[in-house]
């Protein structure tokens, strides 16, 4: 059955659903709620002034409706809740008036004004609350399609679908006594009580993590057999290159280069991750890797997640390789078709030694003559599938990942289980560590003065507005409000810019470039500012509501300042959870902070503010589900070792999946 055959799904709705990434019934039923409302009748006697309230009762009086302002209205009426009459006030629901008839049972959700026996309602439901608490799934929605609508379509899809697509072998369903997939999905969308909901969520998360670990374990096992390129490179030549660099490598950088050198001259394929804090100097290590690769006669491709980063790398490398006979080019989606074609041609004819770019580097049109090394920067292992796609092109280049997210060793061994890892733990000399202060919201005047002080020294500032998961609208209002505030405080003498996820890539790039050129002095931004962006003149970052972030996420954010010898500052504004945030004022060691995060909140926000690539799970969250991940690791390991013993339909699906990893996801 197709999506458009569902009741109520016409061409328009179809487009809206597509926008949410829903293209078929399976997508629809695995569009899971991101949270749940528990609707439980409040007990008036224990509520305090201004508490949240959910109450049902019988409408006692016809609502009065007033209009004011532009398209605004206010309605009030009395609700009989059994032992008393409550006054209900609700704004902008005038359209409900004709349904709110005296005698009708309704449910009101809002804030309780105990002194005046009044409820300021934010929602009215035209039905009575059942006696047992109701669990209401809430879906990520947008302006044009509501959570309620999505729920309706899902229920209709569920009733039209006999079996959900299952990938979990029966032995593990039995081992943990898990409910079957179809039931689990049905419960997740239509929960009746907490325990079964928990079981259902657990079941679905386990399956996701099992598949994830199966892929990783497969790669790990398989890597031993995968032969790569043979190279002969003189170490002296590499050392000469290193000695001519404008600075001396740190001990950790030297160790990384050593690891890479040995990987590269070894016939086994390299699959290595370099992890190190922002600013620890990973790029130069990548540069040396590319030089070694060049010496052995192969092409290198270095992929960055954004055009800005790619361009930054490109300019940097052109300089570093200027004295060598090495051809460096840039390939991004932005290039005109003609320019792209020219680059494709040169790549195919081996006239380019090093190509820097975005995902555009690995589209079908690109054919490398002899690609020997692929480096991906600042991406959390989107490599699993990409590696497979290289394989399908008949290439076996060595692979190097760079990540600015230091994670605890035990954890790394799980999710990066198939890779070798090198770490850069110390910062290059001459860099002053960022000084971090914790301030409460009523110290804002002091903070504004500190900002002014930096501006007067001609430095630039990032101001970060937190992301609130639930609503795009609130986020936008938040950042606009912050932007206005900054403009009121500094707009007269300084230029304030704004950057957020609702802007197009071009708009974002434009603002970012203006900031790089110091045409903007204060950049108010959500966390969309990319990891790795390098504006050396930015010396201060102010993060509002910082309690909303994980420690590692903040640490990653503040890495965007302190990128040269100037003293830089990070100011954490928060009225809550300040105890947890204190460690950030005490250390700049990303590994220490990630250990702390790990202790405090499972795996914490180890991946900073966003997960990407293979780590995009629908339900599972590396933050909270570490225990499930560990089980999935052992189980998938066991399963892989015995996979030939299984011959049922699930085993066959899994085999096909891992042998032909192109179809993963
Ligand atoms: P990241 O690890 O975040 O990618 P970069 O490689 O961009 O960090 O390095 C940050 C800055 O430090 C760059 O300007 C780079 O030139 C400089 N740098 C790197 N290594 C050293 C070193 N050993 N000594 C001095 N400066 C260095
Ligand atoms: Mg970098």
């Amino acid at each position: 059955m197709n999506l458009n055959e569902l009741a109520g799904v016409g061409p328009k709705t179809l487009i809206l659903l597509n926008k949410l990434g829903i293209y078929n019934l399976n997508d629809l039923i695995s569009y899971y709620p991101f949270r749940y409302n528990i609707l439980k009748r409040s007990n008036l006697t224990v509520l305090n002034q201004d508490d949240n309230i959910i109450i049902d009762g019988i409408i006692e009086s016809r609502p009065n409706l007033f209009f004011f302002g532009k398209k605004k209205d206010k309605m009030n009426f009395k609700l009989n809740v059994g032992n008393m009459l409550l006054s209900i006030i609700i704004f902008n629901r005038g359209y409900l008036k004709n349904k709110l008839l005296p005698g009708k049972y309704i449910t009101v959700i809002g804030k309780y004004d105990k002194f005046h026996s009044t409820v300021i309602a934010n929602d009215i439901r035209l039905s009575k609350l059942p006696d047992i608490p109701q669990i209401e799934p809430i879906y990520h929605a947008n302006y044009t399609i509501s959570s309620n609508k999505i729920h309706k379509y899902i229920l209709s899809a569920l009733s039209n679908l006999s079996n959900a697509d299952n990938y979990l072998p029966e032995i593990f369903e039995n081992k943990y006594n898990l409910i079957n997939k179809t039931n689990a999905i049905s419960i997740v969308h239509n929960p009746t009580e907490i325990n079964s909901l928990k079981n259902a969520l657990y079941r679905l998360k386990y399956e996701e993590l099992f598949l994830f670990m199966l892929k990783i374990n497969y790669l790990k096992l398989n890597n031993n057999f995968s032969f790569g390129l043979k190279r002969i490179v003189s170490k002296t030549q590499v050392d000469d290159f290193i000695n001519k660099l404008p600075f001396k490598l740190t001990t950790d950088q030297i160790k990384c280069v050593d690891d890479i050198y040995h990987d590269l001259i070894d016939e086994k394929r390299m699959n290595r991750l370099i992890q190190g804090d922002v600013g620890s100097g990973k790029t130069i290590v990548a540069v040396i890797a590319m030089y070694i690769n060049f010496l052995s006669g192969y092409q290198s491709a270095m992929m960055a997640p954004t055009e800005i980063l790619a361009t930054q790398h490109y300019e940097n490398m052109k300089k570093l390789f200027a004295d060598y006979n090495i051809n460096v080019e840039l390939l991004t989606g932005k290039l005109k078709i003609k320019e792209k074609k020219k680059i494709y041609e040169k790549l195919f004819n081996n006239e380019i030694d090093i190509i820097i770019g975005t995902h555009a580097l690995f589209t079908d049109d690109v054919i490398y003559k002899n690609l020997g090394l692929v480096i991906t920067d600042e991406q959390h292992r989107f490599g699993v599938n990409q590696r497979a796609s290289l394989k399908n092109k008949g290439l076996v280049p060595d692979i190097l990942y760079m990540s600015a997210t230091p994670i605890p060793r035990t954890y790394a061994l799980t999710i990066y289980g198939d890779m070798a890892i090198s770490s850069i733990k110390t910062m290059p000399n001459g860099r002053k560590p960022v000084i971090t202060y914790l301030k409460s919201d009523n110290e804002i005047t002091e903070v504004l003065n500190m900002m002014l002080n930096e501006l007067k020294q001609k430095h630039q500032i990032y101001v970060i507005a937190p992301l609130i998961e639930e609503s795009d609208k609130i986020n936008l209002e938040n950042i606009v409000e912050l932007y206005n505030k900054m403009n009121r405080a500094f707009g007269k003498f300084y230029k304030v810019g704004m950057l957020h996820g609702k802007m197009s890539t071009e708009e974002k790039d434009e603002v970012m470039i203006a900031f790089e050129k110091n045409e903007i002095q204060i950049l108010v931004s959500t966390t969309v500012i990319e990891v790795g962006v390098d504006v050396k003149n930015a010396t201060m970052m102010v993060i509002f509501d910082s309690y909303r972030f994980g420690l590692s996420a903040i640490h990653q954010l503040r890495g965007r300042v302190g990128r040269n010898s100037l003293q830089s500052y990070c100011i954490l504004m928060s009225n809550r959870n300040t105890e947890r945030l204190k460690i950030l004022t005490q250390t700049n060691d990303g590994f220490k902070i990630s250990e702390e995060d790990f202790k405090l909140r499972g795996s914490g926000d180890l991946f900073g503010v966003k997960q990407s690539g293979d780590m995009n799970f629908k339900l599972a969250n590396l933050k909270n589900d570490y225990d499930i991940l560990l089980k999935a690791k052992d189980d998938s390991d066991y399963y892989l070792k015995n996979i030939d013993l299984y011959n049922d339909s699930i085993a066959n699906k899994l085999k096909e999946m891992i042998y032909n990893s192109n179809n993963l996801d």
Side-chain angles (χ1 to χ4, degrees):
M1 189 172 170
N2 287 325
L3 256 189
N4 57 0
E5 293 168 59
L6 278 185
V9 179
K12 262 192 191 155
T13 310
L14 200 61
I15 293 172
L16 297 178
L17 290 173
N18 289 171
K19 271 195 182 146
L20 295 173
I22 300 170
Y23 296 92
N24 54 45
L25 286 195
N26 242 319
D27 291 344
L28 183 58
I29 62 166
S30 52
Y31 193 81
Y32 301 121
F34 74 97
R35 70 179 174 89
Y36 294 88
N37 273 343
I38 312 270
L39 294 180
K40 186 179 168 207
R41 186 178 293 118
S42 307
N43 178 354
L44 284 182
T45 52
V46 302
L47 285 191
N48 293 314
Q49 179 68 16
D50 290 336
D51 275 354
N52 292 326
I53 181 172
I54 300 178
I55 192 90
D56 55 358
I58 297 170
I59 299 177
E60 184 82 15
S61 67
R62 234 170 226 292
N64 298 310
L65 177 61
F66 310 94
F67 290 93
F68 61 98
K70 237 192 198 167
K71 287 187 183 166
K72 286 189 176 136
D73 64 65
K74 174 184 173 184
M75 203 161 41
N76 62 36
F77 58 91
K78 297 268 187 230
L79 187 72
N80 187 337
V81 296
N83 47 0
M84 66 187 290
L85 285 184
L86 285 178
S87 295
I88 310 296
I89 297 175
I90 188 161
F91 291 92
N92 303 326
R93 297 292 166 91
Y95 58 86
L96 280 179
K97 187 182 177 202
N98 291 332
K99 296 205 162 132
L100 300 175
L101 302 172
K104 191 170 168 46
Y105 236 118
I106 61 163
T107 299
V108 170
I109 301 169
K111 247 191 182 38
Y112 186 33
D113 180 353
K114 191 169 186 156
F115 297 138
H116 302 97
S117 300
T118 295
V119 175
I120 313 292
N122 50 44
D123 200 6
I124 288 180
R125 309 282 169 92
L126 300 171
S127 61
K128 181 182 181 212
L129 276 178
D131 289 328
I132 40 169
Q134 226 188 348
I135 308 171
E136 191 179 63
I138 309 291
Y139 298 87
H140 273 302
N142 59 31
Y143 290 113
T144 42
I145 189 163
S146 68
S147 171
N148 256 333
K149 271 263 168 61
I150 295 171
H151 191 211
K152 236 180 57 195
Y153 297 136
I154 290 175
L155 293 187
S156 147
L158 282 173
S159 66
N160 280 295
L161 202 85
S162 46
N163 274 310
D165 205 8
N166 177 36
Y167 286 90
L168 189 60
E170 211 181 332
I171 44 164
F172 302 116
E173 279 191 4
N174 294 340
K175 179 175 176 187
Y176 300 110
N177 222 341
L178 302 173
I179 36 180
N180 81 44
K181 176 118 176 223
T182 312
N183 277 345
I185 289 192
S186 160
I187 291 171
V188 159
H189 291 299
N190 227 353
T192 49
E193 52 94 31
I194 294 282
N195 272 329
S196 64
L197 174 59
K198 274 189 183 156
N199 289 338
L201 286 171
Y202 188 96
R203 194 277 173 221
L204 297 174
K205 286 177 181 182
Y206 177 82
E207 181 180 331
E208 282 186 349
L209 292 171
F210 176 81
L211 289 181
F212 173 66
M213 285 313 305
L214 192 73
K215 289 190 236 172
I216 290 182
N217 278 330
Y218 175 74
L219 289 172
K220 186 171 157 186
L221 275 177
N222 231 36
N223 211 23
N224 298 331
F225 306 104
S226 119
F227 285 89
L229 305 169
K230 233 187 187 142
R231 309 158 187 274
I232 300 166
V233 184
S234 110
K235 187 83 205 312
T236 346
Q237 247 180 315
V238 180
D239 288 339
D240 281 348
F241 181 80
I242 293 173
N243 290 333
K244 287 197 185 108
L245 289 174
F247 42 73
K248 254 185 87 183
L249 295 188
T250 63
T251 320
D252 287 346
Q253 283 172 323
I254 293 172
K255 174 76 172 56
C256 283
V257 169
D258 243 37
D259 291 344
I260 291 169
Y261 176 79
H262 285 110
D263 283 350
L264 287 179
I265 59 169
D266 194 312
E267 216 175 308
K268 212 183 102 192
R269 206 170 163 198
M270 174 166 79
N271 185 30
R272 184 171 291 277
L273 168 76
I274 305 276
Q275 49 169 2
D277 262 337
V278 174
S280 61
K282 295 182 291 298
T283 313
I284 200 69
V285 173
V287 166
I288 298 166
M290 290 195 282
Y291 184 67
I292 300 172
N293 185 53
F294 165 79
L295 290 179
S296 49
Y298 293 103
Q299 293 172 300
S300 303
M302 178 165 178
M303 173 155 66
T306 63
E307 310 236 341
I308 298 176
L309 276 179
T311 310
Q312 248 175 33
H313 280 320
Y314 169 68
E315 269 152 21
N316 193 2
M317 313 234 160
K318 250 194 351 198
K319 269 184 234 147
L320 283 164
F321 288 121
D323 298 341
Y324 300 81
N325 192 14
I326 297 178
N327 232 327
V328 187
E329 293 275 359
L330 177 70
L331 174 60
T332 66
K334 238 194 205 152
L335 293 187
K336 298 201 183 72
I337 297 195
K338 231 174 147 182
E339 299 169 312
K340 276 187 195 161
K341 284 217 168 116
K342 209 164 175 190
I343 289 193
Y344 298 158
E345 225 178 273
K346 283 177 155 183
L347 280 172
F348 184 71
N349 293 331
N350 207 7
E351 286 159 15
I352 293 176
D353 304 305
I354 292 178
I355 183 90
I356 321 269
T358 53
H359 279 81
L361 292 179
F362 294 102
T363 55
D364 287 341
D365 301 328
V366 189
I367 302 170
Y368 293 90
K369 179 72 178 174
N370 62 350
L371 185 63
L373 175 64
V374 173
I375 300 179
T376 60
D377 189 20
E378 311 291 10
Q379 243 351 6
H380 307 305
R381 69 161 313 132
F382 64 141
V384 176
N385 299 341
Q386 180 212 325
R387 212 158 57 137
S389 88
L390 288 173
K391 224 176 202 168
N392 286 353
K393 283 188 177 179
L395 299 164
V396 283
D398 289 294
I399 311 265
L400 187 64
Y401 298 89
M402 301 198 291
S403 166
T405 316
I407 60 176
R409 186 152 181 81
T410 46
Y411 195 59
L413 288 178
T414 310
I415 60 171
Y416 297 122
D418 58 318
M419 300 183 193
I421 301 177
S422 307
S423 305
I424 308 184
K425 298 204 171 188
T426 46
M427 290 283 171
N429 288 336
R431 190 149 331 143
K432 294 203 179 79
V434 178
I435 296 178
T436 299
Y437 297 109
L438 197 54
K439 297 279 173 193
S440 67
D441 293 349
N442 54 24
E443 291 172 289
I444 183 75
T445 318
E446 191 189 332
V447 172
L448 291 176
N449 274 324
M450 292 165 85
M451 291 173 70
L452 186 61
N453 197 27
E454 288 307 302
L455 291 167
K456 276 185 180 158
Q457 298 177 57
K458 302 218 156 32
H459 299 158
Q460 290 162 274
I461 301 178
Y462 293 101
V463 174
I464 307 292
L467 266 186
I468 297 161
E469 174 137 41
E470 280 139 57
S471 155
D472 286 346
K473 199 163 157 242
I474 298 179
N475 282 331
L476 203 57
E477 281 169 10
N478 254 348
I479 183 165
V480 171
E481 191 188 322
L482 202 53
Y483 171 79
N484 290 337
K485 236 185 225 166
M486 291 300 142
N487 244 331
R488 276 198 300 276
F490 300 109
K492 209 166 165 191
F493 298 105
Y494 301 98
K495 180 114 175 71
V496 184
M498 178 160 64
L499 199 67
H500 57 77
K502 282 271 165 290
M503 292 161 65
S504 69
T505 312
E506 290 78 39
E507 288 170 324
K508 279 192 266 188
D509 282 0
E510 207 171 288
V511 172
M512 217 40 241
I513 287 164
F515 189 63
E516 276 188 81
K517 288 188 184 153
N518 200 356
E519 289 162 10
I520 288 172
Q521 285 77 46
I522 301 176
L523 182 61
V524 181
S525 168
T526 55
T527 50
V528 295
I529 41 167
E530 286 300 337
V531 180
V533 163
D534 198 6
V535 179
K536 290 200 166 57
N537 191 47
T539 54
M540 181 173 276
M541 175 174 283
V542 185
I543 305 178
F544 282 84
D545 283 352
S546 51
Y547 67 89
R548 287 185 187 277
F549 295 102
L551 298 177
S552 299
I554 294 179
H555 180 65
Q556 224 179 68
L557 280 169
R558 76 175 168 185
R560 256 138 282 185
V561 296
R563 297 188 73 91
N564 60 15
S565 57
L566 298 171
Q567 180 59 60
S568 288
Y569 303 91
C570 173
I571 300 175
L572 305 176
M573 305 292 297
S574 184
N575 280 342
R576 286 195 232 173
N577 266 338
T578 47
E579 206 44 48
R580 181 176 71 91
L581 295 171
K582 260 186 196 148
I583 179 138
L584 291 163
T585 64
Q586 292 156 357
T587 179
N588 272 302
D589 180 339
F591 286 91
K592 227 185 210 162
I593 290 165
S594 80
E595 293 280 356
E596 199 64 25
D597 231 2
F598 199 64
K599 270 190 244 154
L600 283 173
R601 352 200 294 166
S603 64
D605 262 351
L606 295 179
F607 299 94
V609 268
K610 53 182 175 193
Q611 300 180 359
S612 54
D614 289 342
M615 295 200 189
N616 259 336
F617 302 108
K618 285 191 163 133
L619 278 175
N621 184 331
L622 293 175
K623 214 190 283 194
N624 307 317
D625 301 320
Y626 185 58
D627 53 334
I628 310 180
L629 183 72
L630 286 183
K631 284 192 183 121
K633 178 185 180 226
D634 289 347
D635 292 341
S636 61
D637 198 35
Y638 168 85
Y639 191 77
L640 263 183
K641 286 186 179 135
N642 297 290
I643 197 159
D644 290 331
L645 302 177
Y646 301 103
N647 211 359
D648 50 295
S649 66
I650 290 179
N652 291 333
K653 267 201 289 194
L654 291 175
K655 283 180 206 172
E656 198 186 312
M657 177 187 276
I658 52 178
Y659 296 157
N660 175 15
S661 343
N662 248 350
N663 300 332
L664 298 178
D665 281 345

